[in-house]
């Protein structure tokens, strides 16, 4: 993800970091929000318990759309 920051304006990076901070403040990584996955042998975060995350994703959505001409060619890197 860090390689995308060089493609963005400083204020856009700031907006993204503030959005992440707001999400973490409202959805702290409490142990209760993790469930054990026996098939994988580890605990994973259950994001369904976080409620509405759309307000936090709105900033990301806006920044991606504003820079789609530069970020589009890198999209394949983030696909499994």
């Amino acid at each position: 993800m860090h390689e995308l920051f060089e493609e963005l304006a400083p204020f856009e990076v700031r907006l993204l970091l503030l959005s992440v901070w707001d999400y973490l403040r409202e959805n702290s990584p409490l142990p209760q929000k993790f469930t054990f996955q026996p098939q994988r042998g580890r605990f994973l975060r259950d994001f369904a318990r976080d409620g509405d995350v759309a307000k936090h994703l709105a900033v990301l959505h806006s920044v991606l759309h504003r820079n789609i001409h530069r970020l589009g060619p890198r999209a394949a890197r983030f696909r499994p």
Side-chain angles (χ1 to χ4, degrees), residues 1-56:
M1 188 65 110
H2 63 88
E3 63 265 20
L4 296 181
F5 288 161
E6 66 189 29
E7 299 289 337
L8 302 174
F11 80 93
E12 291 170 323
V13 173
R14 181 180 183 274
L15 289 174
L16 290 174
L17 293 175
L18 286 173
S19 179
V20 169
W21 180 250
D22 286 343
Y23 175 82
L24 288 174
R25 190 173 358 154
E26 293 178 16
N27 301 287
S28 60
L30 298 171
Q32 298 86 347
K33 294 187 177 185
F34 290 81
T35 55
F36 185 71
Q37 302 292 320
Q39 66 275 19
R40 294 186 178 178
R42 60 184 174 167
F43 286 89
L44 295 176
R45 176 84 180 251
D46 183 7
F47 289 98
R49 297 180 183 189
D50 288 351
D52 183 28
V53 295
K55 66 179 179 178
H56 301 291

